[in-house]
Amino acid sequence: MSELVKVGLIGFGTIGAGVAKILLNKTDRLAASIGRRIELARICDKDISSDRGVDIPAGVLTNDLNDILNDPEITIGIELIGGLEPARTFVLALLDAGKDVVTANKALLANHGPELFEHARKLGRTIAFEAAVGGGIPVISSIATSLQANEIESILAILNGTSNFILSRMEQTGANYHDALREAQQKGYAEANPAMDVDGTDAVQKLSILSQLAFAAHVNWKSVSRVGIDCVDAIDIRFARELAYSIRLIASAKRTQDGLELKVSPTLVPCSSPLAKVDDAFNAIQVVGDFVGPVFYQGWGAGQKPTASAVVSDVIDTALGRTAITSASLRMWSGDRPALAVRDAGEMVSKAYLRLIVDDKKGVMSVISGILGEFDISISSMLQPEKEAVDEPTYMIIMTHATSQRRLQEAVARIRGLDFVYGEPVCLAVQG
């Protein structure tokens, strides 16, 4: 007879319905595999009448959270309502009721992680969160367990499927940003208000969670350098390809002697890089350890099935005691751990792509290169495509050697004010 583990689910939306399908339809297979019989004892949601395409046993649905909190036989609570409140209050209540917690809520952890994990430690409870980053990609458990012998040196990742779909469609079809965004919304990859996806907020929150896990650092996600993809035009995609690059929204974390470098921005990635080959709504994460070297993970970063898979994986790990071992060894978000300093964005160094629209006349290049030189920015290459009309302005593409963001921003501000420069210069980071 398998040991019985009862679970309570809070939130019965798309992901919650996927979790319910697995737990209700694969009970026997899971029991045979892990030696525990996991029973979905309660599902709590405000709406318990709408059809989610799942056959729910009588007595399981409730709109009263106390039916989960006050049931001593329910030992694991799953929070899938999203957002900050009442999710934070519900997680604290689950912990206070003596239950371990599984969540897919990256915003909650990015904003309230220290408080929640400290509360869990005091009560001898655990919080599992594999589904909060990368959908079904098992990167959290890999960093927490498989890579523990390593000091993590860096993380390079595509963490937002919506942005990746938009950029890869622009690359594949030549569509402009707005048309690609509209297609993402039609396919269900983007919300009606896609701001948190396309402005980099979603990726920054996920990067802050990974960084706190990988580098044992306290990270305020609001302090992380962030640039969204709405500055990227179809012409930038075209020029990047001519220069043997693809543009992706890259989340980057790097340990340096001066602290932790964190940023999220549209980045030119060499076409030879695995990240350049990540298309559609996929996520990908490259983790570099000092002994193992680069390890690469790729998979669907969102959606019902991959996210539900990760949630149930956490339920299984919690039921088997693996989550408790991980929590005890990581001391993640511990209040007694000194914060690893996050470097000022202006001091971060990288190569850059600069796209200008300028008058096609003698001396323009000399003036621009002179300004870059004043800020100690050297040019590695330049691209100026042919144009049909002689008297029209032209594009000028400049690739720079590595330089600090502060120097680059100051130089671009000077260039922007020239009377032969039109519109807003576009400046993107270049990997490598």
Side-chain angles (χ1 to χ4, degrees):
M1 180 72 68
S2 299
E3 178 183 333
L4 180 63
V5 178
K6 291 192 175 184
V7 176
L9 170 62
I10 305 172
F12 198 33
T14 300
I15 308 304
V19 170
K21 288 177 184 177
I22 296 174
L23 293 180
L24 292 171
N25 298 335
K26 299 189 176 184
T27 305
D28 293 338
R29 190 182 68 78
L30 291 176
S33 175
I34 67 174
R36 303 285 192 280
R37 190 169 187 84
I38 300 176
E39 177 185 316
L40 182 56
R42 286 284 187 173
I43 300 174
C44 180
D45 197 89
K46 290 188 296 184
D47 176 11
I48 59 174
S49 60
S50 297
D51 182 17
R52 270 80 164 192
V54 189
D55 188 14
I56 305 299
V60 170
L61 283 171
T62 180
N63 54 19
D64 187 353
L65 181 62
N66 289 316
D67 288 338
I68 292 177
L69 297 178
N70 296 335
D71 186 341
E73 294 187 346
I74 294 177
T75 57
I76 301 174
I78 306 172
E79 180 277 310
L80 294 178
I81 62 174
L84 301 183
E85 285 292 355
R88 170 187 165 275
T89 299
F90 288 175
V91 168
L92 290 171
L94 287 168
L95 295 170
D96 286 334
K99 306 178 194 310
D100 295 311
V101 172
V102 172
T103 181
N105 194 335
K106 89 279 181 175
L108 178 66
L109 297 181
N111 284 276
H112 298 295
E115 173 195 14
L116 297 177
F117 276 81
E118 185 63 25
H119 196 65
R121 274 192 293 272
K122 288 179 180 178
L123 296 172
R125 304 266 58 89
T126 65
I127 301 175
F129 53 99
E130 184 69 72
V133 179
I137 302 173
V139 65
I140 298 295
S141 59
S142 293
I143 293 176
T145 57
S146 301
L147 299 179
Q148 273 196 317
N150 290 259
E151 181 173 80
I152 303 302
E153 296 176 348
S154 66
I155 296 171
L156 278 177
I158 294 170
L159 295 175
N160 184 265
T162 300
S163 293
N164 201 62
F165 177 85
I166 292 170
L167 291 173
S168 61
R169 291 300 286 168
M170 291 172 69
E171 184 176 81
Q172 293 160 1
T173 68
N176 64 38
Y177 168 78
H178 294 289
D179 288 343
L181 170 58
R182 191 176 303 112
E183 183 182 355
Q185 290 170 323
Q186 291 169 350
K187 290 181 177 292
Y189 293 139
E191 302 290 342
N193 180 3
M196 289 187 65
D197 290 317
V198 300
D199 73 3
T201 298
D202 176 80
V204 163
Q205 290 180 340
K206 293 172 181 176
L207 181 66
S208 73
I209 293 172
L210 285 178
S211 298
Q212 293 179 92
L213 182 67
F215 303 105
H218 294 167
V219 177
N220 178 357
W221 70 267
K222 295 178 182 178
S223 69
V224 177
S225 175
R226 171 176 58 87
V227 179
I229 66 169
D230 57 355
C231 66
V232 180
D233 192 83
I235 197 68
D236 298 307
I237 301 286
R238 193 192 97 189
F239 288 146
R241 294 298 289 180
E242 290 184 23
L243 294 164
Y245 289 91
S246 288
I247 298 178
R248 296 290 184 266
L249 184 69
I250 299 296
S252 171
K254 182 180 180 181
R255 186 195 300 272
T256 74
Q257 291 183 340
D258 299 315
L260 192 60
E261 291 188 354
L262 299 173
K263 65 178 180 178
V264 169
S265 66
T267 303
L268 273 72
V269 180
C271 289
S272 59
S273 166
L275 289 172
K277 299 175 175 63
V278 179
D279 294 327
D280 209 76
F282 277 80
N283 282 192
I285 304 160
Q286 177 181 284
V287 181
V288 178
D290 60 347
F291 273 77
V292 74
V295 182
F296 193 78
Y297 308 85
Q298 181 175 340
W300 288 108
Q304 183 190 69
K305 289 184 177 180
T307 307
S309 171
V311 169
V312 174
S313 175
D314 273 342
V315 171
I316 293 170
D317 281 350
T318 302
L320 294 177
R322 295 171 186 159
T323 305
I325 296 172
T326 300
S327 297
S329 63
L330 284 176
R331 301 294 297 164
M332 184 180 179
W333 281 298
S334 173
D336 58 7
R337 184 183 293 277
L340 184 64
V342 176
R343 293 194 70 192
D344 181 85
E347 301 305 318
M348 297 183 199
V349 173
S350 71
K351 299 176 184 178
Y353 160 99
L354 179 60
R355 190 249 293 167
L356 307 169
I357 301 176
V358 300
D359 281 332
D360 188 11
K361 63 183 182 181
K362 185 178 179 180
V364 168
M365 182 60 200
S366 177
V367 173
I368 291 173
S369 62
I371 292 174
L372 293 174
E374 287 180 34
F375 290 92
D376 199 25
I377 300 170
S378 61
I379 297 173
S380 64
S381 65
M382 191 193 78
L383 174 65
Q384 193 162 9
E386 294 185 7
K387 59 190 181 68
E388 296 180 0
V390 176
D391 296 330
E392 290 183 356
T394 185
Y395 287 108
M396 179 182 290
I397 309 302
I398 297 173
M399 301 289 282
T400 78
H401 291 291
T403 185
S404 75
Q405 291 301 301
R406 180 167 288 108
R407 287 200 301 267
L408 186 62
Q409 289 168 3
E410 290 172 350
V412 169
R414 281 272 302 279
I415 292 170
R416 183 188 296 113
L418 298 173
D419 59 8
F420 53 75
V421 175
Y422 300 92
E424 186 67 21
V426 171
C427 190
L428 304 176
V430 178
Q431 183 190 333

